[in-house]
Amino acid sequence: GAYSNGLFMDGARWDDDNNCVADSFPKVLWSTMAPFWLRPVIKDEDEHDYDKLYNAPIYKTSERKGVLSTSGHSSNFIMYLAIPHSCNPPHSERFWTKRGVALISQTDD
């Protein structure tokens, strides 16, 4: 596997105390995402409960748009990262999707 860090969350924040997505603090546009471990697993041996995970899209820039490639994805899109979304109060993946929560690799600042 590989450790990754340096991402920013847009539309929400990462709650380090509860290890899940939470509402943003007032007047804060970007929050730093905690380092995470990308660990390859065999699909049949995957122990994650995907009902409790939000597939956060990761983009290169905050524009969230780019040229459509032959794969059908934007050239700005990197991948999805499944992160826990069940904090207090518990929200669904749909809730965070409607809010447009995404991870980006560089801010506009």
Side-chain angles (χ1 to χ4, degrees):
Y3 285 98
S4 181
N5 68 350
L7 294 179
F8 301 92
M9 189 171 282
D10 181 19
R13 68 179 173 88
W14 181 254
D15 185 346
D16 283 325
D17 296 331
N18 295 311
N19 291 325
C20 59
V21 181
D23 290 319
S24 297
F25 291 123
K27 300 182 182 180
V28 176
L29 293 178
W30 319 108
S31 63
T32 305
M33 178 63 184
F36 55 91
W37 183 30
L38 295 171
R39 181 177 58 105
V41 296
I42 298 171
K43 190 171 184 175
D44 295 338
E45 297 174 8
D46 190 0
E47 299 173 359
H48 291 96
D49 182 1
Y50 285 94
D51 291 333
K52 295 182 179 178
L53 298 176
Y54 169 58
N55 282 316
I58 302 175
Y59 296 101
K60 295 176 188 174
T61 66
S62 63
E63 289 182 347
R64 302 186 191 193
K65 65 179 183 178
V67 178
L68 195 63
S69 67
T70 56
S71 67
H73 290 289
S74 166
S75 60
N76 194 18
F77 176 78
I78 299 173
M79 64 182 270
Y80 288 104
L81 180 65
I83 54 177
H85 64 67
S86 296
C87 276
N88 294 326
H91 294 300
S92 66
E93 180 176 14
R94 185 175 180 192
F95 175 85
W96 297 114
T97 301
K98 282 185 171 183
R99 286 216 170 167
V101 175
L103 298 168
I104 58 170
S105 63
Q106 64 183 26
T107 64
D108 296 334
D109 298 339

